[in-house]
Amino acid sequence: MFTNLNTDSSKRPRLLGELGDLSCKQISVVEFKYGRNSEIFGEGEPAEFLYQVIKGAVRSHKLLSDGRRQIGAFHLAGDVFGLENGEHHRFTAEAVVDTTVRLLKRQSLDRVAKSDKALIFKILSMTTDNLQHVENHLLLLGRKDSLERVAAFLVEMDRRLTAAGVVTLPMSRRDIADYLGLTLETVSRAFSNLQKKGFLKFLGQTQREILILNLAGLAAVDR
Amino acid sequence: MFTNLNTDSSKRPRLLGELGDLSCKQISVVEFKYGRNSEIFGEGEPAEFLYQVIKGAVRSHKLLSDGRRQIGAFHLAGDVFGLENGEHHRFTAEAVVDTTVRLLKRQSLDRVAKSDKALIFKILSMTTDNLQHVENHLLLLGRKDSLERVAAFLVEMDRRLTAAGVVTLPMSRRDIADYLGLTLETVSRAFSNLQKKGFLKFLGQTQREILILNLAGLAAVDR
DNA sequence: CGATGACTTGAACGCCATCAATCGCTGTGG
DNA sequence: CCACAGCGATTGATGGCGTTCAAGTCATCG
């Protein structure tokens, strides 16, 4: 492993914010590429690094012994993940598509954090953001029906990765289903339903490029 | 409000750990009592205090506009809640039964935290514990069936509030249902099912005192 | 005692899962 | 170039789990 690592302390960070401001503080930062569907780290493994998505997309999931899967979050360009405070990762993280990730040694992060209060608060703040997202997802999984879930998903994705009203999903219907606690068939039916209602339109043939025609309508379906 | 407040800076804390060690650091600590089903704070309200349950039980929930409710967590004796990093509470908190709560002004906490690294790390650690619990709950709500959910609930409650193998639930079947993303009827049927299977037994007539006969069996049902 | 609230149990329904067929696109090899 | 396999996605048919609606029990309390 780490055959293609790429020390970065001299380079300018490609993304600002979040971890971008750390590279100037003697924290070793490297970049690494993961192929589609390859594992970045596994649940239960020691949490040695902190990660930031540079390009691509990552899914974090838990598995039951019989294969049932729950995706806790998708991490898109700029997002930080692997932010565990304990010794071990609580999720498995995989690249959804070919993905470039920036790695930070937790050890060196902890060292700097000991003397850098702003950094501690930054980490606390990112953890809290994380918590907020998961708390909202609890309500979705516990109490929303399938159409509400898919509408909420589209609103979230529109906010996070839209380019001019067009949402280009990096993940499959199965990934979406495992994020929303549904089956891929139900997700597909909900997409068709929302298209029939005039809230969205598919572009191209891939079924992954979606033109959002009525964002407020989708938000209203979500409740 | 605050008619029965009770300054506590001179008293010994009744519970150790978590916030118990803060009372000796010039942080104003008061206790307050809430009656059964009364609101402690509401979603969206400014987060002025941090709370610790001294006696009783608290539920944190979110509501949809049509009344559907999702309980994110139950807070039992010793637990800290209201740990928001933002300005506002993200849940509504209510007393499940008559409950005594210790309040800490977030403002004074922040003041001390600025110069006390151990305290910041403590807060970060509590936030991470919180996150871990919610992440596990995602898997439950997204992918487990009703019997698995109820078994998991009993295992959790056995761990958190058992006295000699007897679990005395402070919350109603409806509260449990809204925690597990089910209806109260389904929860009731699952209890009956687990009793029939010999995993538990009801004591008294209240249906809230439960003798756990086979904890490993319950854990196995949960998977 | 009648009223109320918490819980259980039964019956019927409905939403989503499951099973299955089909379509379109991509890549591969004869 | 076309046949064909493989994958992702859609769509249809059927079934099951949990919800909904309803009745009934039991304990508490006015």
Side-chain angles (χ1 to χ4, degrees), chain A residues 67-91:
Chain A
R68 281 174 288 174
R69 183 177 69 151
Q70 179 61 47
I71 293 178
F74 292 110
H75 313 289
L76 309 176
D79 293 347
V80 175
F81 65 100
L83 197 62
E84 326 284 341
N85 233 47
E87 297 286 287
H88 300 279
H89 287 296
R90 296 186 303 257
F91 281 99

Short mmCIF file of all heavy atoms in Angstrom, two decimals, chain A residues 67-91:
data_model
loop_
_atom_site.label_atom_id
_atom_site.label_comp_id
_atom_site.label_asym_id
_atom_site.label_seq_id
_atom_site.Cartn_x
_atom_site.Cartn_y
_atom_site.Cartn_z
N GLY A 67 -25.79 -9.60 5.84
CA GLY A 67 -25.55 -8.82 4.63
C GLY A 67 -26.38 -7.55 4.52
O GLY A 67 -26.11 -6.72 3.65
N ARG A 68 -27.38 -7.39 5.38
CA ARG A 68 -28.13 -6.14 5.34
C ARG A 68 -27.17 -4.99 5.61
O ARG A 68 -26.30 -5.08 6.48
CB ARG A 68 -29.24 -6.16 6.39
CG ARG A 68 -30.46 -6.94 5.98
CD ARG A 68 -31.47 -7.05 7.10
NE ARG A 68 -31.04 -7.94 8.16
CZ ARG A 68 -31.69 -8.13 9.31
NH1 ARG A 68 -32.81 -7.45 9.53
NH2 ARG A 68 -31.23 -8.97 10.20
N ARG A 69 -27.34 -3.91 4.85
CA ARG A 69 -26.38 -2.81 4.90
C ARG A 69 -27.10 -1.49 5.17
O ARG A 69 -28.17 -1.24 4.63
CB ARG A 69 -25.64 -2.74 3.55
CG ARG A 69 -24.56 -1.69 3.48
CD ARG A 69 -23.81 -1.73 2.15
NE ARG A 69 -24.64 -1.28 1.04
CZ ARG A 69 -24.16 -0.70 -0.07
NH1 ARG A 69 -22.87 -0.53 -0.22
NH2 ARG A 69 -24.98 -0.32 -1.02
N GLN A 70 -26.53 -0.67 6.01
CA GLN A 70 -27.05 0.68 6.22
C GLN A 70 -25.94 1.68 5.97
O GLN A 70 -24.92 1.66 6.67
CB GLN A 70 -27.60 0.86 7.64
CG GLN A 70 -28.14 2.26 7.92
CD GLN A 70 -29.31 2.62 7.01
OE1 GLN A 70 -30.23 1.83 6.83
NE2 GLN A 70 -29.27 3.81 6.42
N ILE A 71 -26.11 2.51 4.96
CA ILE A 71 -25.16 3.58 4.68
C ILE A 71 -25.50 4.77 5.56
O ILE A 71 -26.64 5.24 5.57
CB ILE A 71 -25.20 3.97 3.19
CG1 ILE A 71 -24.68 2.80 2.34
CG2 ILE A 71 -24.39 5.23 2.93
CD1 ILE A 71 -24.70 3.04 0.85
N GLY A 72 -24.53 5.22 6.34
CA GLY A 72 -24.77 6.34 7.26
C GLY A 72 -24.61 7.68 6.59
O GLY A 72 -25.30 8.64 6.95
N ALA A 73 -23.72 7.77 5.61
CA ALA A 73 -23.49 9.04 4.94
C ALA A 73 -22.72 8.85 3.64
O ALA A 73 -21.99 7.88 3.48
CB ALA A 73 -22.72 9.99 5.85
N PHE A 74 -22.96 9.78 2.73
CA PHE A 74 -22.10 9.92 1.55
C PHE A 74 -21.19 11.11 1.78
O PHE A 74 -21.62 12.16 2.26
CB PHE A 74 -22.96 10.15 0.30
CG PHE A 74 -23.79 8.96 -0.10
CD1 PHE A 74 -25.16 8.98 0.03
CD2 PHE A 74 -23.18 7.82 -0.61
CE1 PHE A 74 -25.93 7.89 -0.33
CE2 PHE A 74 -23.94 6.72 -0.98
CZ PHE A 74 -25.32 6.75 -0.84
N HIS A 75 -19.91 10.94 1.44
CA HIS A 75 -18.95 12.03 1.59
C HIS A 75 -18.53 12.50 0.20
O HIS A 75 -18.03 11.71 -0.59
CB HIS A 75 -17.74 11.55 2.38
CG HIS A 75 -18.11 10.80 3.63
ND1 HIS A 75 -18.66 11.43 4.73
CD2 HIS A 75 -18.05 9.49 3.95
CE1 HIS A 75 -18.91 10.52 5.66
NE2 HIS A 75 -18.54 9.34 5.21
N LEU A 76 -18.77 13.77 -0.07
CA LEU A 76 -18.48 14.33 -1.39
C LEU A 76 -17.27 15.26 -1.31
O LEU A 76 -16.70 15.46 -0.24
CB LEU A 76 -19.73 15.07 -1.89
CG LEU A 76 -21.02 14.26 -1.81
CD1 LEU A 76 -22.21 15.10 -2.23
CD2 LEU A 76 -20.92 13.00 -2.66
N ALA A 77 -16.88 15.81 -2.46
CA ALA A 77 -15.68 16.66 -2.52
C ALA A 77 -15.69 17.72 -1.42
O ALA A 77 -16.66 18.45 -1.26
CB ALA A 77 -15.58 17.33 -3.89
N GLY A 78 -14.63 17.75 -0.65
CA GLY A 78 -14.49 18.73 0.43
C GLY A 78 -14.83 18.17 1.79
O GLY A 78 -14.38 18.67 2.81
N ASP A 79 -15.63 17.09 1.83
CA ASP A 79 -16.07 16.54 3.11
C ASP A 79 -14.94 15.82 3.84
O ASP A 79 -14.09 15.18 3.22
CB ASP A 79 -17.21 15.54 2.91
CG ASP A 79 -18.48 16.21 2.41
OD1 ASP A 79 -18.55 17.45 2.46
OD2 ASP A 79 -19.40 15.49 1.98
N VAL A 80 -14.98 15.92 5.16
CA VAL A 80 -14.03 15.20 6.01
C VAL A 80 -14.74 14.00 6.60
O VAL A 80 -15.89 14.09 7.02
CB VAL A 80 -13.52 16.12 7.14
CG1 VAL A 80 -12.64 15.33 8.11
CG2 VAL A 80 -12.76 17.29 6.56
N PHE A 81 -14.08 12.85 6.62
CA PHE A 81 -14.69 11.67 7.24
C PHE A 81 -13.62 10.84 7.97
O PHE A 81 -12.43 11.13 7.86
CB PHE A 81 -15.45 10.83 6.22
CG PHE A 81 -14.58 10.21 5.16
CD1 PHE A 81 -14.20 8.88 5.25
CD2 PHE A 81 -14.16 10.95 4.07
CE1 PHE A 81 -13.41 8.29 4.27
CE2 PHE A 81 -13.36 10.38 3.08
CZ PHE A 81 -12.99 9.05 3.19
N GLY A 82 -14.07 9.85 8.70
CA GLY A 82 -13.15 9.06 9.52
C GLY A 82 -12.82 9.78 10.82
O GLY A 82 -11.80 9.54 11.44
N LEU A 83 -13.72 10.67 11.21
CA LEU A 83 -13.52 11.52 12.38
C LEU A 83 -13.95 10.77 13.64
O LEU A 83 -14.95 11.10 14.25
CB LEU A 83 -14.37 12.78 12.20
CG LEU A 83 -14.08 14.00 13.05
CD1 LEU A 83 -12.68 14.50 12.76
CD2 LEU A 83 -15.09 15.09 12.74
N GLU A 84 -13.20 9.77 14.00
CA GLU A 84 -13.56 8.95 15.17
C GLU A 84 -12.74 9.46 16.34
O GLU A 84 -11.58 9.79 16.18
CB GLU A 84 -13.20 7.48 14.93
CG GLU A 84 -13.37 7.03 13.51
CD GLU A 84 -14.83 6.81 13.16
OE1 GLU A 84 -15.62 6.68 14.08
OE2 GLU A 84 -15.15 6.81 11.96
N ASN A 85 -13.33 9.47 17.49
CA ASN A 85 -12.53 9.85 18.63
C ASN A 85 -11.94 8.66 19.35
O ASN A 85 -10.97 8.76 20.05
CB ASN A 85 -13.34 10.70 19.60
CG ASN A 85 -12.60 11.97 19.88
OD1 ASN A 85 -12.16 12.59 18.94
ND2 ASN A 85 -12.45 12.32 21.12
N GLY A 86 -12.57 7.53 19.13
CA GLY A 86 -12.04 6.33 19.76
C GLY A 86 -10.88 5.77 18.97
O GLY A 86 -10.36 6.39 18.04
N GLU A 87 -10.52 4.58 19.30
CA GLU A 87 -9.38 3.93 18.68
C GLU A 87 -9.72 3.34 17.32
O GLU A 87 -8.87 3.16 16.48
CB GLU A 87 -8.89 2.78 19.59
CG GLU A 87 -8.39 3.22 20.94
CD GLU A 87 -7.03 3.87 20.82
OE1 GLU A 87 -6.04 3.16 20.59
OE2 GLU A 87 -6.97 5.12 20.93
N HIS A 88 -11.01 3.02 17.14
CA HIS A 88 -11.38 2.22 15.98
C HIS A 88 -12.47 2.89 15.13
O HIS A 88 -13.29 3.63 15.66
CB HIS A 88 -11.85 0.84 16.43
CG HIS A 88 -10.80 0.09 17.19
ND1 HIS A 88 -9.78 -0.57 16.56
CD2 HIS A 88 -10.59 -0.05 18.52
CE1 HIS A 88 -8.99 -1.11 17.47
NE2 HIS A 88 -9.45 -0.81 18.68
N HIS A 89 -12.46 2.58 13.86
CA HIS A 89 -13.50 3.09 12.96
C HIS A 89 -14.83 2.41 13.27
O HIS A 89 -14.87 1.21 13.51
CB HIS A 89 -13.11 2.83 11.51
CG HIS A 89 -12.01 3.71 11.02
ND1 HIS A 89 -12.15 5.07 10.92
CD2 HIS A 89 -10.75 3.43 10.62
CE1 HIS A 89 -11.02 5.59 10.48
NE2 HIS A 89 -10.15 4.62 10.29
N ARG A 90 -15.89 3.19 13.21
CA ARG A 90 -17.21 2.64 13.50
C ARG A 90 -17.99 2.33 12.23
O ARG A 90 -19.11 1.86 12.28
CB ARG A 90 -18.00 3.62 14.37
CG ARG A 90 -17.36 3.86 15.74
CD ARG A 90 -18.26 4.72 16.59
NE ARG A 90 -18.54 5.99 15.95
CZ ARG A 90 -17.98 7.14 16.27
NH1 ARG A 90 -17.09 7.19 17.22
NH2 ARG A 90 -18.29 8.25 15.63
N PHE A 91 -17.40 2.67 11.09
CA PHE A 91 -18.01 2.38 9.80
C PHE A 91 -16.96 1.77 8.87
O PHE A 91 -15.76 1.91 9.12
CB PHE A 91 -18.53 3.67 9.15
CG PHE A 91 -19.83 4.16 9.69
CD1 PHE A 91 -19.88 5.16 10.64
CD2 PHE A 91 -21.02 3.62 9.22
CE1 PHE A 91 -21.09 5.61 11.14
CE2 PHE A 91 -22.23 4.07 9.71
CZ PHE A 91 -22.26 5.06 10.66
#
